[in-house]
Amino acid sequence: MASVLPYTLALVLWGISVCQSQSISYTVMEEVLPPVFLGNVAKDSNISSTIDPSILANIKYSFLTVGSDSDNSNLFQIDEGTGDLITKSKLDRETLCPFLKLCVLPLRIGANSGTFFRTINVNISILDRNDNSPLFSTNSTSLSIPEDANINSTFPLSTASDKDMGENNSLKTYVLEPNSSIFGLLLSRKIDDSLEVNLVLNQKLDREKFRSHRVYLVAKDGGLPQRSSTMTINIAVQDINDNKPRFSYSQYNVTIQEDITVGTTIMKVSASDDDEGQNGAVEYMFSSNPNGESQKLFSINNNTGEVKVIQQLTFTSGEPHRIVVSAVDHGFPPLSSQAFINIHVVDVNNHAPEININPLSGGKVSESSNRGTVIAYVAVVDRDTGRNGQVTCSINHPKFQLHNLSNTEYKVVVSDELDREENIEYIVKVYCEDDGIPKQNKSKSFIVQVLDMNDNEPKFDRDLYNATITENKAPGQMITKVTASDSDQENNAEVHYFIEPNFQTKFEVDASTGIIRAKVKFDREVESSIMFKVFAADNGTPVPLTATATVKLNIEDDNDEFPTFNQSSYEFRVMENRDADFVVGTVLATDKDIGSNAAIVYTLPFSYQNTPFSINPSTGEIKTNRRLDREEKSTYTLSVMATDRGVSPKNTSCIVTVKVQDENDEYPIIRFPRRGNESVKVPHTTMPNTIVTQIEAYDKDEGENGTLRYTIVKRDDDNLFYIDSKTGQIYISRKIESFDIKEFSLFIDVSDQGAMPLKTAVELRLFVEYHAIPTVAEQKIGQNVLIAITIACVTIVLSLAILVTIFLIKRVDNNKRKRLPHVESNDQHEFQLPDSVQYSSKKSCLTRENSHKTYLTDNNNLTSHEGKKVSFSSDDQQDSGIFMIGRDVGPNGLVSTNQHIYANQHHSPYSSQPEDTPPPRPRREKKVSDLHQEELNRMASINFHQKLMNNYNKPLVYHPDENRQFLSLKKPGVEDTNSDGSGEITVSDSGRGGSMEDLHRASVMI
């Protein structure tokens, strides 16, 4: 054994080395025309140096297929004999490994030679060549930018993609061409390491200078030579209403005769607007406060600017008719400009009064001036005389009045509050008229400039600013820009900004520009929006004035929250046999994020795809995809995954238990009786209320659907039998009479207790048989037999005690003397008692081992054989020496007892079991000193069994009590063809008993 061990270990180690697989790697550049030699597999895997040369010479190399997903053997070729590995086709890395940083193709190669086999793992790395340019999804794109867009405004641009994935071959950067001072690029790196490209506005746009711009976005990779592609960006500048209409002249002068015809067009004013569309459409109108009577004398066409005379004119000396005309565009808000129209009326008959106006303080007045403040001195001269020279003057103005100083002198005073922000200047018109016939009049205007006082608060261009920012952004992000203006002038109009104190920890504002930036990171799930106030204050004196605007910051969502199920686990119940698409239940998950980050998709993991369920990805509704069978499986456990639709999706799982509820869909199944095994034999001596058999059935359903009830629906037994509806046990209902000894059929329904019960019918055949009762003479024979058995038992016990004693003495002296020869038994003349002689369920009182076998010859002579054993049993209370021997005649007339006969009327066939036979004692060598005693015992057994054989086929009656035992002795040549277990006669044998004819032929009462 020790010499074999080294060879065994060597063989095991050799087997391990053969089964091991090698791993080698090769590198090849893509796009190289085949064949490209990669290497020699035999050499690189060290096979050639580790195995016997005779094996190496016969090795064949071939590709092995592990799975269709990893089969790359069609791209390569291996020399079967040498193991040289080459490429078979040109390799395109972008096709084989799209968008992968590393491109490694696995191969599995087998090396085989007879009993030798080894697998070699080959990994082929394909190197990237810069053979692809970055590509834009479109060749050009268009942007529309309002001309009032803020500096540093950004506009997203489409990005390019590069199929190359090498370190330097992939997309690296973007540039803007030509180099522009107006536009720039803002590049930022995204989570997936790609670049986000935004166009940045570096300067203010002016549509009136440039209506459009064109620049080119160039995407470049990092390869050598460098590759690039270009996308054209067409930028259209959107117009805003930022230009006022401009009159051709600031003043228009026209001279007309005082007798001009009413309706005559006397002039046309014209204004242009550099804006376009409605922002450039101009409408003309007189100022809302025309001077004197001019509005009554003239009219203007709103579209053409033509001025017409609408009333007869009268010559007046002095200043002409001075009208303020406004040109207003249609923008929002509308912008306007004004010009003067001076209409000179030529006198044709007399002279009008001459008006001389002397403005005080240079025609300037503070807007805070009180009523009565003198602003001008007016003197009137009329060259006419008399009533024609008597002049009356007046001022028709809401802010000013003309007070008399004398007949020809007046003063102009303030009559109402002035507001420079409403009008920076007023045209005050003095009207004078003589008292002549016809009366002559004259008017003259002068300009009053209103000086500013700090009486106006700054005004924001809007009351509410809406801004957005994505949560989790770093501090310093620009939020919005606020703008306020002040109608005052100079220092009174200079504005600076500040934020309310409660929010100064979160926000900061540039005091001069109004740009507001974040000072902290924001969490949308904590607060989705923030409203705060920003103030604008002027530099006026004595007290600065302030204005307030509200900024509403909406915090945009970032996918930073996981979906959450509203329950940690779910349990649903569903009835079996429902059609597919039956709704089992619904799971619900929520996500604190919003938008696509909060959109939930429900899925079943791949390992649960074969379950009979499907889930609606949008609603979480779980349905069956086929019928369920509770009897096949009553409980299913699923895992449901909820995944959001964010850029970096997040998911959560929960356990769903589906319990299949029972439906009454299974018929009861009957195990007994069944076709070919539906008969039961009943002795006519069976007492009432004795169980004769039991219907054995079961139902695969559960609960009431599986609870069985037994009913006799058809019968011909005259109510001899009755059945327990719950257990299916069949009892004798009354005493069996002589006319009841025949065959009966019971038709029994076995039904469940479901709402709609299902039932199975079965026929049970019951044979009531006659059993003979022992006589008094037979009782005496039985008592004699019992005495003989008792003597035999005592003899055997004493013989065994002597044999044991001799055996012990023999064992002590075994080493001192030689072993005595033993006498072998003559097996041709031995008498065999039955294998087992059973009376009732009592322990044997007499046992003989190494007895003789007995054969019954044709002339009924006994031939003895050395046999097995004799086993007897006695019931002290009931049997009193009555016993039963089952006899069967085998080949050559051998009488053997190898079957059990049950005759206890008070036991159910389901509880009556054959008594276990004591195990045989081992045979031992006989001594010479034992031969004489053994021969005496053998002769006593022969005499006893000869008496038994003489009683064969003789009915004996003996019944000291109601308990009877039967001896079944089968005649030679008579076969049992009625059932598989004939010879076993029980109160209920479930179809295994013999017929009545067989029983009478093969039974002897002792």
Side-chain angles (χ1 to χ4, degrees), residues 4 16 105 321 567 580:
V4 176
I16 294 175
L105 302 182
H321 296 284
Q567 296 179 212

Side-chain angles (χ1 to χ4, degrees), residues 476-511:
Q477 295 290 319
M478 176 179 172
I479 294 175
T480 189
K481 179 181 179 182
V482 296
T483 303
S485 60
D486 196 315
S487 300
D488 295 323
Q489 288 182 323
E490 299 178 353
N491 287 340
N492 296 334
E494 292 182 0
V495 178
H496 64 277
Y497 305 92
F498 59 95
I499 294 174
E500 62 177 307
N502 291 342
F503 290 89
Q504 289 180 0
T505 58
K506 295 182 177 180
F507 305 97
E508 61 183 2
V509 62
D510 189 297

Side-chain angles (χ1 to χ4, degrees), residues 688-699:
N689 296 323
T690 300
I691 299 173
V692 297
T693 188
Q694 182 175 10
I695 306 300
E696 299 181 16
Y698 66 94
D699 195 315

